[in-house]
Amino acid sequence: MVRYAEPGTVEWVESGGGPLIAVPETVLPFWTGADGEETASDYDRACEVDGLVGLLPVGDATALVLGDEPAATAFLPEHGTLVRCVAAHSEAEVLASVPEALHTAQWQPEVQWKVPGELVLFDAAWPGARSTGTDHVRLALAPGRYAVRAAHVQPGPETWLVLVQFRPLT
């Protein structure tokens, strides 16, 4: 993705072509990525997720798979939202469109996710133990239960995004 905004404004993560996955840091060693020795690797399980988001068990926790299509993804903590850029002219255009896109999004049914603490978002093909040595982003979510909802949005004529929003549940 071409970056025009202030350098360091946001960190983006991309995959090599498959889904991204947000794994709780406490269970990173249990995610084997494409290196699994079974018939279906963890990566294969992630690829089977149908839709924009899905949950997969990892160790004694659950990971969030970002399905649909590979897209550069950034976490905007001020909105509690992952922004996935499907198409846009610039990073500045993407970031400027987020507030209105959140307001007008037609959200898909949400899933409930128990988050034990900090998460690492990375290409699902990588083993969790090596994920921080690759393209990754840390998501600092407070431990607790979240409603996770996702939507395709088109905030501009040539801007397409997928939004994945985390809403704390009480």
Side-chain angles (χ1 to χ4, degrees):
M1 159 175 274
V2 177
R3 299 205 170 106
Y4 296 102
E6 184 69 32
T9 301
V10 295
E11 292 181 69
W12 294 89
V13 63
E14 297 184 53
S15 80
L20 294 174
I21 188 162
V23 178
E25 193 168 42
T26 58
V27 295
L28 275 175
F30 297 103
W31 181 259
T32 60
D35 293 345
E37 296 178 17
E38 299 177 16
T39 308
S41 67
D42 284 343
Y43 176 73
D44 292 330
R45 292 189 311 135
C47 289
E48 290 175 4
V49 167
D50 190 28
L52 298 178
V53 295
L55 300 174
L56 287 179
V58 178
D60 63 356
T62 306
L64 180 74
V65 177
L66 303 181
D68 195 32
E69 62 181 90
T73 303
F75 181 58
L76 304 181
E78 66 274 21
H79 298 292
T81 302
L82 289 167
V83 176
R84 310 195 72 207
C85 180
V86 177
H89 288 292
S90 71
E91 180 182 56
E93 179 181 303
V94 169
L95 298 176
S97 69
V98 169
E100 181 64 21
L102 286 167
H103 180 69
T104 60
Q106 298 294 311
W107 299 100
Q108 294 183 355
E110 61 190 25
V111 296
Q112 291 190 10
W113 186 27
K114 183 179 178 186
V115 175
E118 189 163 303
L119 307 162
V120 180
L121 178 70
F122 58 97
D123 186 331
W126 284 95
R130 294 190 314 199
S131 62
T132 57
T134 69
D135 194 14
H136 72 283
V137 171
R138 292 191 177 277
L139 311 180
L141 292 179
R145 295 190 59 75
Y146 289 83
V148 181
R149 60 187 187 171
H152 282 282
V153 294
Q154 186 178 352
E158 295 183 25
T159 304
W160 292 274
L161 309 174
V162 172
L163 303 175
V164 178
Q165 188 175 51
F166 306 99
R167 297 182 308 120
L169 297 172
T170 55

Coordinates of all heavy atoms in Angstrom, one line a residue, residues 69-159:
E69 N -10.6 -11.8 1.8 CA -9.5 -11.7 0.9 C -8.3 -11.1 1.6 O -8.5 -10.4 2.6 CB -9.9 -10.9 -0.3 CG -10.3 -9.5 0.0 CD -10.7 -8.7 -1.2 OE1 -11.8 -8.7 -1.6 OE2 -9.8 -8.1 -1.8
P70 N -7.1 -11.3 1.1 CA -5.9 -10.7 1.8 C -6.0 -9.2 1.5 O -6.4 -8.7 0.4 CB -4.7 -11.3 1.1 CG -5.2 -12.0 -0.1 CD -6.7 -12.2 0.0
A71 N -5.8 -8.4 2.5 CA -5.8 -6.9 2.4 C -4.9 -6.4 3.5 O -4.8 -6.9 4.6 CB -7.2 -6.4 2.6
A72 N -4.2 -5.3 3.2 CA -3.4 -4.6 4.2 C -4.3 -4.2 5.3 O -5.4 -3.7 5.1 CB -2.7 -3.4 3.5
T73 N -3.9 -4.5 6.5 CA -4.7 -4.3 7.7 C -4.0 -3.5 8.8 O -2.8 -3.8 9.1 CB -5.2 -5.7 8.3 OG1 -5.8 -6.4 7.2 CG2 -6.1 -5.5 9.4
A74 N -4.7 -2.6 9.4 CA -4.1 -1.8 10.5 C -5.2 -1.7 11.6 O -6.4 -1.8 11.4 CB -3.8 -0.3 10.0
F75 N -4.7 -1.6 12.8 CA -5.5 -1.5 14.0 C -5.6 0.0 14.4 O -4.5 0.6 14.6 CB -5.0 -2.3 15.2 CG -5.9 -2.3 16.4 CD1 -7.2 -2.6 16.3 CD2 -5.3 -1.9 17.6 CE1 -8.0 -2.6 17.5 CE2 -6.1 -1.8 18.7 CZ -7.4 -2.2 18.7
L76 N -6.8 0.5 14.5 CA -7.0 1.9 15.0 C -7.6 1.8 16.4 O -8.8 1.7 16.5 CB -7.9 2.6 14.0 CG -7.4 2.7 12.6 CD1 -8.4 3.5 11.7 CD2 -6.0 3.2 12.4
P77 N -6.8 1.9 17.4 CA -7.3 1.7 18.8 C -8.3 2.7 19.2 O -9.2 2.4 20.0 CB -6.1 1.7 19.7 CG -5.0 2.3 18.8 CD -5.3 2.1 17.4
E78 N -8.2 3.9 18.6 CA -9.2 5.0 19.0 C -10.6 4.6 18.5 O -11.6 5.2 19.0 CB -8.8 6.4 18.4 CG -8.8 6.5 16.9 CD -7.5 6.0 16.2 OE1 -6.7 5.2 16.8 OE2 -7.3 6.4 15.1
H79 N -10.7 3.7 17.6 CA -12.0 3.3 17.1 C -12.3 1.8 17.5 O -13.3 1.3 17.1 CB -12.1 3.4 15.5 CG -12.0 4.8 15.0 ND1 -12.9 5.7 15.2 CD2 -11.0 5.4 14.3 CE1 -12.5 6.9 14.7 NE2 -11.3 6.7 14.1
G80 N -11.3 1.1 18.1 CA -11.5 -0.3 18.4 C -11.7 -1.1 17.2 O -12.5 -2.0 17.2
T81 N -11.0 -0.7 16.1 CA -11.3 -1.3 14.8 C -10.1 -1.7 14.0 O -9.1 -0.9 14.0 CB -12.2 -0.3 14.0 OG1 -13.3 0.0 14.7 CG2 -12.5 -0.8 12.6
L82 N -10.2 -2.8 13.3 CA -9.2 -3.2 12.3 C -9.7 -2.6 11.0 O -10.9 -2.8 10.7 CB -9.1 -4.7 12.2 CG -8.4 -5.4 13.3 CD1 -8.6 -6.9 13.2 CD2 -6.9 -5.1 13.3
V83 N -8.9 -2.0 10.2 CA -9.2 -1.4 8.9 C -8.5 -2.2 7.9 O -7.2 -2.3 7.9 CB -8.9 0.1 8.8 CG1 -9.2 0.6 7.4 CG2 -9.7 0.9 9.8
R84 N -9.2 -2.8 6.9 CA -8.6 -3.6 5.9 C -8.8 -2.9 4.6 O -9.9 -2.7 4.2 CB -9.2 -5.0 5.9 CG -9.3 -5.7 7.3 CD -9.5 -7.1 7.2 NE -8.3 -7.8 6.7 CZ -8.4 -8.9 6.1 NH1 -9.5 -9.5 5.8 NH2 -7.2 -9.4 5.6
C85 N -7.7 -2.5 4.0 CA -7.8 -1.7 2.7 C -7.8 -2.7 1.5 O -6.8 -3.3 1.2 CB -6.6 -0.8 2.6 SG -6.6 0.2 1.1
V86 N -9.0 -2.7 0.9 CA -9.2 -3.5 -0.3 C -8.7 -2.7 -1.5 O -8.0 -3.2 -2.4 CB -10.6 -4.0 -0.5 CG1 -10.8 -4.8 -1.7 CG2 -11.1 -4.8 0.8
A87 N -9.1 -1.4 -1.5 CA -8.6 -0.5 -2.6 C -8.7 0.9 -2.1 O -9.6 1.3 -1.5 CB -9.5 -0.7 -3.9
A88 N -7.7 1.7 -2.5 CA -7.6 3.1 -2.1 C -6.4 3.7 -2.8 O -5.5 3.0 -3.2 CB -7.5 3.3 -0.6
H89 N -6.5 5.1 -3.0 CA -5.4 5.8 -3.6 C -4.3 6.0 -2.6 O -3.1 6.1 -3.0 CB -5.8 7.1 -4.2 CG -6.6 6.9 -5.5 ND1 -6.1 6.4 -6.6 CD2 -8.0 7.1 -5.7 CE1 -7.0 6.4 -7.5 NE2 -8.2 6.8 -7.0
S90 N -4.6 6.2 -1.3 CA -3.6 6.5 -0.3 C -4.0 6.1 1.1 O -5.2 5.9 1.4 CB -3.3 8.0 -0.4 OG -4.4 8.7 0.2
E91 N -3.0 6.0 1.9 CA -3.3 5.7 3.3 C -4.1 6.9 4.0 O -5.0 6.6 4.7 CB -2.0 5.6 4.1 CG -2.1 5.3 5.6 CD -0.8 5.1 6.3 OE1 0.0 6.1 6.2 OE2 -0.5 4.1 6.9
A92 N -3.8 8.1 3.6 CA -4.5 9.3 4.1 C -6.0 9.2 3.8 O -6.8 9.5 4.6 CB -3.9 10.6 3.6
E93 N -6.3 8.8 2.6 CA -7.7 8.6 2.1 C -8.4 7.6 3.0 O -9.5 7.8 3.4 CB -7.7 8.2 0.7 CG -9.0 8.0 0.1 CD -8.9 7.6 -1.4 OE1 -8.3 8.4 -2.2 OE2 -9.4 6.5 -1.7
V94 N -7.7 6.4 3.2 CA -8.3 5.4 4.0 C -8.6 5.9 5.4 O -9.7 5.8 6.0 CB -7.3 4.2 4.1 CG1 -7.8 3.2 5.1 CG2 -7.2 3.5 2.7
L95 N -7.6 6.5 6.1 CA -7.7 6.9 7.5 C -8.8 8.0 7.6 O -9.5 8.0 8.6 CB -6.4 7.4 8.0 CG -5.3 6.3 8.1 CD1 -4.0 6.9 8.6 CD2 -5.7 5.1 8.9
A96 N -8.8 8.9 6.7 CA -9.8 10.0 6.7 C -11.3 9.5 6.5 O -12.2 10.1 7.0 CB -9.6 11.0 5.6
S97 N -11.4 8.3 5.9 CA -12.8 7.8 5.6 C -13.3 6.9 6.7 O -14.5 6.6 6.7 CB -12.7 7.0 4.3 OG -12.0 5.8 4.5
V98 N -12.5 6.6 7.7 CA -12.9 5.6 8.7 C -14.1 6.1 9.6 O -15.1 5.4 9.7 CB -11.7 5.1 9.6 CG1 -12.2 4.4 10.8 CG2 -10.8 4.3 8.7
P99 N -14.1 7.3 10.1 CA -15.2 7.7 11.0 C -16.6 7.6 10.3 O -17.5 7.1 10.9 CB -14.8 9.2 11.4 CG -13.3 9.2 11.3 CD -13.0 8.3 10.1
E100 N -16.6 8.1 9.1 CA -17.9 8.1 8.4 C -18.3 6.6 8.0 O -19.4 6.2 8.1 CB -17.9 9.0 7.1 CG -19.2 9.0 6.3 CD -20.4 9.6 7.1 OE1 -20.2 10.3 8.1 OE2 -21.5 9.2 6.7
A101 N -17.3 5.9 7.6 CA -17.5 4.5 7.2 C -18.1 3.7 8.4 O -18.9 2.8 8.3 CB -16.2 3.8 6.7
L102 N -17.5 3.9 9.6 CA -18.0 3.3 10.8 C -19.5 3.6 11.1 O -20.3 2.8 11.5 CB -17.2 3.7 12.1 CG -15.8 3.0 12.2 CD1 -15.0 3.7 13.2 CD2 -16.0 1.5 12.4
H103 N -19.8 4.9 10.8 CA -21.2 5.4 11.0 C -22.2 4.8 10.0 O -23.4 4.5 10.4 CB -21.2 6.9 10.9 CG -22.6 7.5 11.2 ND1 -23.2 7.5 12.4 CD2 -23.4 8.1 10.3 CE1 -24.4 8.0 12.3 NE2 -24.5 8.4 11.0
T104 N -21.8 4.5 8.8 CA -22.7 4.1 7.8 C -22.6 2.6 7.4 O -23.4 2.1 6.6 CB -22.5 4.9 6.4 OG1 -21.1 4.6 6.0 CG2 -22.7 6.4 6.7
A105 N -21.7 1.9 8.1 CA -21.5 0.5 7.8 C -22.8 -0.4 8.0 O -23.5 -0.1 9.0 CB -20.4 -0.1 8.7
Q106 N -23.0 -1.3 7.1 CA -24.0 -2.3 7.3 C -23.4 -3.6 7.8 O -22.8 -4.4 7.1 CB -24.7 -2.6 5.9 CG -25.4 -1.4 5.3 CD -26.6 -1.0 6.1 OE1 -27.4 -1.8 6.5 NE2 -26.6 0.3 6.4
W107 N -23.4 -3.7 9.1 CA -22.6 -4.7 9.8 C -23.2 -6.1 9.6 O -24.5 -6.3 9.7 CB -22.6 -4.4 11.3 CG -21.9 -3.1 11.6 CD1 -22.5 -2.0 11.9 CD2 -20.5 -2.9 11.6 NE1 -21.6 -1.0 12.1 CE2 -20.3 -1.5 11.9 CE3 -19.4 -3.7 11.4 CZ2 -19.1 -0.9 12.0 CZ3 -18.1 -3.1 11.5 CH2 -18.0 -1.7 11.8
Q108 N -22.4 -7.1 9.5 CA -22.8 -8.5 9.4 C -23.0 -9.0 10.9 O -22.6 -8.3 11.8 CB -21.7 -9.4 8.8 CG -21.5 -9.0 7.3 CD -20.5 -9.9 6.6 OE1 -19.8 -10.8 7.3 NE2 -20.3 -9.8 5.3
P109 N -23.7 -10.1 11.1 CA -23.9 -10.6 12.4 C -22.6 -10.7 13.2 O -21.5 -11.1 12.6 CB -24.5 -12.0 12.2 CG -25.2 -11.9 10.9 CD -24.3 -11.0 10.0
E110 N -22.6 -10.4 14.4 CA -21.4 -10.4 15.2 C -21.1 -11.7 15.9 O -22.0 -12.6 16.0 CB -21.4 -9.3 16.3 CG -22.5 -9.4 17.3 CD -22.7 -8.2 18.1 OE1 -22.3 -7.1 17.7 OE2 -23.2 -8.3 19.3
V111 N -19.9 -11.9 16.2 CA -19.5 -13.1 17.0 C -19.0 -12.6 18.4 O -18.5 -11.5 18.5 CB -18.3 -13.9 16.3 CG1 -18.9 -14.5 15.0 CG2 -17.1 -13.1 16.1
Q112 N -19.1 -13.4 19.4 CA -18.5 -13.1 20.7 C -17.2 -13.8 20.9 O -17.1 -15.0 20.6 CB -19.5 -13.4 21.8 CG -20.8 -12.6 21.7 CD -21.7 -12.7 22.9 OE1 -21.3 -13.3 23.9 NE2 -22.8 -12.1 22.8
W113 N -16.2 -13.0 21.4 CA -14.9 -13.5 21.5 C -14.3 -13.2 22.9 O -14.4 -12.0 23.3 CB -14.0 -12.9 20.4 CG -12.6 -13.4 20.3 CD1 -12.1 -14.6 20.6 CD2 -11.5 -12.6 19.8 NE1 -10.8 -14.7 20.3 CE2 -10.4 -13.5 19.8 CE3 -11.4 -11.4 19.2 CZ2 -9.2 -13.1 19.3 CZ3 -10.2 -10.9 18.8 CH2 -9.1 -11.8 18.8
K114 N -13.8 -14.2 23.6 CA -13.1 -14.0 24.9 C -11.6 -13.7 24.6 O -11.0 -14.6 24.1 CB -13.3 -15.1 25.8 CG -12.7 -14.9 27.2 CD -13.0 -16.1 28.1 CE -12.3 -15.9 29.4 NZ -12.4 -17.0 30.3
V115 N -11.2 -12.5 25.0 CA -9.8 -12.1 24.7 C -9.0 -12.2 26.1 O -9.4 -11.5 27.0 CB -9.7 -10.7 24.1 CG1 -8.3 -10.2 24.0 CG2 -10.4 -10.7 22.8
P116 N -8.0 -13.0 26.2 CA -7.3 -13.1 27.5 C -6.2 -12.0 27.7 O -5.7 -11.9 28.8 CB -6.6 -14.5 27.4 CG -6.4 -14.7 25.9 CD -7.6 -14.0 25.2
G117 N -6.0 -11.2 26.6 CA -4.9 -10.2 26.7 C -4.4 -9.8 25.4 O -5.1 -10.0 24.4
E118 N -3.2 -9.3 25.3 CA -2.6 -8.8 24.1 C -2.7 -9.8 23.0 O -2.5 -11.0 23.2 CB -1.2 -8.3 24.3 CG -0.7 -7.5 23.1 CD 0.5 -6.7 23.4 OE1 0.4 -5.8 24.3 OE2 1.6 -6.9 22.8
L119 N -2.9 -9.4 21.8 CA -3.0 -10.2 20.6 C -1.9 -9.9 19.6 O -1.4 -8.7 19.6 CB -4.3 -10.0 19.9 CG -5.6 -10.2 20.8 CD1 -6.8 -9.5 20.1 CD2 -5.8 -11.6 21.1
V120 N -1.5 -10.8 18.8 CA -0.6 -10.6 17.7 C -1.3 -11.0 16.4 O -1.8 -12.1 16.2 CB 0.7 -11.4 17.8 CG1 1.6 -11.2 16.6 CG2 1.4 -11.1 19.1
L121 N -1.4 -10.0 15.5 CA -2.0 -10.2 14.1 C -0.9 -10.4 13.1 O 0.0 -9.6 13.0 CB -2.8 -8.9 13.8 CG -3.5 -8.9 12.4 CD1 -4.7 -9.9 12.4 CD2 -4.1 -7.5 12.1
F122 N -1.1 -11.5 12.4 CA 0.0 -11.9 11.4 C -0.6 -12.8 10.3 O -1.7 -13.3 10.4 CB 1.2 -12.5 12.1 CG 0.9 -13.8 12.9 CD1 1.0 -15.0 12.3 CD2 0.4 -13.7 14.2 CE1 0.7 -16.2 13.1 CE2 0.1 -14.8 14.9 CZ 0.2 -16.1 14.3
D123 N 0.2 -13.1 9.3 CA -0.2 -14.1 8.3 C -0.4 -15.4 8.9 O 0.5 -16.0 9.5 CB 0.9 -14.1 7.2 CG 0.6 -14.9 6.0 OD1 -0.2 -15.9 6.1 OD2 1.2 -14.6 4.9
A124 N -1.6 -16.0 8.7 CA -1.9 -17.3 9.3 C -1.0 -18.4 8.8 O -1.0 -19.5 9.5 CB -3.4 -17.7 9.0
A125 N -0.2 -18.3 7.8 CA 0.7 -19.3 7.3 C 1.9 -19.5 8.2 O 2.5 -20.5 8.2 CB 1.2 -19.0 5.9
W126 N 2.2 -18.4 9.0 CA 3.4 -18.5 9.9 C 3.1 -19.2 11.2 O 2.0 -19.0 11.7 CB 3.9 -17.1 10.2 CG 4.6 -16.4 9.1 CD1 4.1 -15.6 8.1 CD2 6.0 -16.6 8.8 NE1 5.0 -15.2 7.2 CE2 6.2 -15.8 7.6 CE3 7.0 -17.3 9.3 CZ2 7.5 -15.7 7.0 CZ3 8.3 -17.2 8.7 CH2 8.5 -16.4 7.6
P127 N 4.0 -20.0 11.7 CA 3.9 -20.5 13.0 C 3.9 -19.4 14.0 O 4.6 -18.4 13.9 CB 5.1 -21.4 13.2 CG 5.6 -21.6 11.9 CD 5.3 -20.4 11.1
G128 N 3.1 -19.5 15.1 CA 3.0 -18.4 16.1 C 4.3 -18.1 16.7 O 4.6 -16.9 17.0
A129 N 5.1 -19.1 17.0 CA 6.4 -18.9 17.6 C 7.3 -18.0 16.8 O 8.2 -17.3 17.4 CB 7.1 -20.2 17.9
R130 N 7.1 -17.9 15.5 CA 7.9 -17.1 14.6 C 7.2 -15.8 14.2 O 7.7 -15.1 13.3 CB 8.5 -17.9 13.5 CG 9.4 -19.0 13.9 CD 10.1 -19.6 12.7 NE 9.2 -19.9 11.7 CZ 9.4 -20.7 10.7 NH1 10.5 -21.4 10.6 NH2 8.5 -20.9 9.7
S131 N 6.0 -15.6 14.6 CA 5.1 -14.5 14.1 C 5.7 -13.1 14.3 O 5.5 -12.3 13.5 CB 3.7 -14.6 14.7 OG 3.8 -14.4 16.1
T132 N 6.4 -12.9 15.4 CA 6.9 -11.6 15.7 C 8.2 -11.3 15.0 O 8.7 -10.2 15.0 CB 7.1 -11.4 17.2 OG1 8.0 -12.4 17.7 CG2 5.7 -11.4 18.0
G133 N 8.7 -12.3 14.3 CA 9.9 -12.1 13.4 C 9.4 -11.8 12.0 O 10.3 -11.6 11.1
T134 N 8.1 -11.7 11.7 CA 7.6 -11.4 10.4 C 6.8 -10.1 10.5 O 6.7 -9.4 11.5 CB 6.7 -12.6 10.0 OG1 5.5 -12.6 10.8 CG2 7.4 -13.9 10.1
D135 N 6.0 -9.9 9.4 CA 5.1 -8.7 9.3 C 4.0 -9.0 10.3 O 3.2 -10.0 10.2 CB 4.6 -8.6 7.9 CG 3.9 -7.3 7.6 OD1 4.1 -6.4 8.4 OD2 3.2 -7.3 6.5
H136 N 3.9 -8.2 11.4 CA 2.8 -8.4 12.4 C 2.5 -7.1 13.0 O 3.2 -6.1 12.9 CB 3.3 -9.4 13.5 CG 4.4 -8.8 14.4 ND1 5.7 -8.6 14.0 CD2 4.3 -8.3 15.6 CE1 6.4 -8.1 15.0 NE2 5.5 -7.9 16.0
V137 N 1.3 -7.1 13.7 CA 0.9 -5.9 14.5 C 0.4 -6.4 15.8 O -0.3 -7.4 15.9 CB -0.2 -5.1 13.7 CG1 -0.9 -4.1 14.6 CG2 0.3 -4.5 12.5
R138 N 0.7 -5.7 16.9 CA 0.2 -6.1 18.2 C -1.1 -5.3 18.4 O -1.2 -4.1 18.1 CB 1.2 -5.7 19.3 CG 2.4 -6.6 19.2 CD 3.3 -6.4 20.5 NE 4.4 -7.3 20.4 CZ 4.4 -8.6 20.7 NH1 3.3 -9.1 21.2 NH2 5.5 -9.4 20.6
L139 N -2.1 -6.0 19.0 CA -3.4 -5.4 19.3 C -3.5 -5.4 20.8 O -3.6 -6.5 21.4 CB -4.5 -6.2 18.7 CG -4.5 -6.5 17.2 CD1 -5.7 -7.3 16.8 CD2 -4.3 -5.3 16.4
A140 N -3.5 -4.2 21.4 CA -3.6 -4.1 22.9 C -5.0 -4.0 23.2 O -5.5 -2.9 23.4 CB -2.7 -2.9 23.3
L141 N -5.7 -5.1 23.4 CA -7.1 -5.1 23.9 C -7.1 -5.6 25.3 O -6.3 -6.5 25.7 CB -8.0 -6.1 23.1 CG -8.3 -5.7 21.6 CD1 -9.1 -6.8 21.0 CD2 -8.9 -4.4 21.5
A142 N -7.9 -4.9 26.2 CA -8.0 -5.3 27.6 C -8.6 -6.7 27.6 O -9.5 -7.0 26.8 CB -8.8 -4.3 28.3
P143 N -8.2 -7.5 28.6 CA -8.8 -8.8 28.7 C -10.3 -8.7 28.9 O -10.7 -7.8 29.6 CB -8.1 -9.5 29.9 CG -6.8 -8.7 30.0 CD -7.1 -7.3 29.5
G144 N -11.1 -9.6 28.3 CA -12.5 -9.5 28.5 C -13.3 -10.1 27.3 O -12.6 -10.7 26.4
R145 N -14.6 -10.0 27.3 CA -15.4 -10.5 26.2 C -15.7 -9.3 25.3 O -16.0 -8.2 25.7 CB -16.7 -11.1 26.8 CG -16.4 -12.3 27.6 CD -17.6 -13.1 28.0 NE -18.4 -13.6 26.9 CZ -18.1 -14.6 26.1 NH1 -17.0 -15.3 26.3 NH2 -18.9 -15.0 25.1
Y146 N -15.7 -9.6 24.0 CA -15.9 -8.6 23.0 C -17.0 -9.2 22.0 O -17.0 -10.4 21.7 CB -14.7 -8.3 22.2 CG -13.7 -7.5 23.0 CD1 -12.8 -8.2 23.9 CD2 -13.6 -6.1 22.9 CE1 -11.9 -7.5 24.6 CE2 -12.7 -5.4 23.6 CZ -11.8 -6.1 24.5 OH -10.9 -5.4 25.3
A147 N -17.8 -8.2 21.5 CA -18.6 -8.5 20.3 C -17.7 -8.0 19.1 O -17.2 -6.9 19.1 CB -19.9 -7.7 20.4
V148 N -17.6 -8.9 18.1 CA -16.8 -8.6 17.0 C -17.7 -8.6 15.8 O -18.4 -9.5 15.5 CB -15.6 -9.6 16.7 CG1 -14.8 -9.2 15.5 CG2 -14.8 -9.8 18.0
R149 N -17.7 -7.4 15.1 CA -18.6 -7.3 13.9 C -17.8 -6.8 12.8 O -16.7 -6.1 12.9 CB -19.8 -6.4 14.2 CG -19.4 -5.0 14.6 CD -20.6 -4.2 15.0 NE -20.3 -2.8 15.2 CZ -21.2 -1.8 15.4 NH1 -22.5 -2.2 15.4 NH2 -20.9 -0.6 15.5
A150 N -18.2 -7.1 11.6 CA -17.5 -6.8 10.4 C -18.4 -6.3 9.3 O -19.6 -6.6 9.3 CB -16.7 -8.0 9.9
A151 N -17.8 -5.5 8.4 CA -18.6 -4.9 7.3 C -17.7 -4.6 6.1 O -16.6 -4.1 6.3 CB -19.4 -3.7 7.7
H152 N -18.3 -4.8 4.9 CA -17.7 -4.2 3.7 C -18.2 -2.8 3.6 O -19.4 -2.6 3.8 CB -18.2 -5.0 2.4 CG -17.5 -6.2 2.2 ND1 -16.2 -6.3 1.7 CD2 -17.9 -7.5 2.4 CE1 -15.9 -7.6 1.5 NE2 -16.9 -8.3 2.0
V153 N -17.4 -1.8 3.3 CA -17.8 -0.4 3.1 C -17.1 0.2 1.9 O -16.0 -0.2 1.5 CB -17.5 0.5 4.4 CG1 -18.4 0.0 5.6 CG2 -16.1 0.5 4.7
Q154 N -17.8 1.1 1.3 CA -17.2 1.8 0.2 C -17.4 3.3 0.5 O -18.3 4.0 0.0 CB -17.9 1.5 -1.2 CG -17.2 2.1 -2.3 CD -17.8 1.7 -3.7 OE1 -18.7 0.9 -3.8 NE2 -17.4 2.4 -4.7
P155 N -16.5 3.9 1.2 CA -16.6 5.3 1.6 C -16.3 6.3 0.5 O -16.6 7.5 0.7 CB -15.7 5.5 2.8 CG -14.7 4.4 2.6 CD -15.3 3.3 1.9
G156 N -15.8 5.9 -0.6 CA -15.5 6.8 -1.7 C -15.7 6.0 -3.0 O -15.7 4.7 -3.0
P157 N -15.7 6.7 -4.1 CA -15.9 6.0 -5.4 C -14.8 4.9 -5.7 O -15.1 3.9 -6.4 CB -15.9 7.1 -6.4 CG -15.5 8.3 -5.8 CD -15.6 8.1 -4.3
E158 N -13.6 5.1 -5.3 CA -12.5 4.2 -5.5 C -11.9 3.7 -4.2 O -10.7 3.3 -4.2 CB -11.5 4.8 -6.5 CG -12.1 5.1 -7.8 CD -11.1 5.7 -8.8 OE1 -9.9 5.4 -8.6 OE2 -11.5 6.4 -9.7
T159 N -12.6 3.7 -3.1 CA -12.1 3.3 -1.8 C -13.0 2.2 -1.3 O -14.2 2.4 -1.1 CB -12.1 4.5 -0.8 OG1 -11.3 5.5 -1.4 CG2 -11.5 4.0 0.5

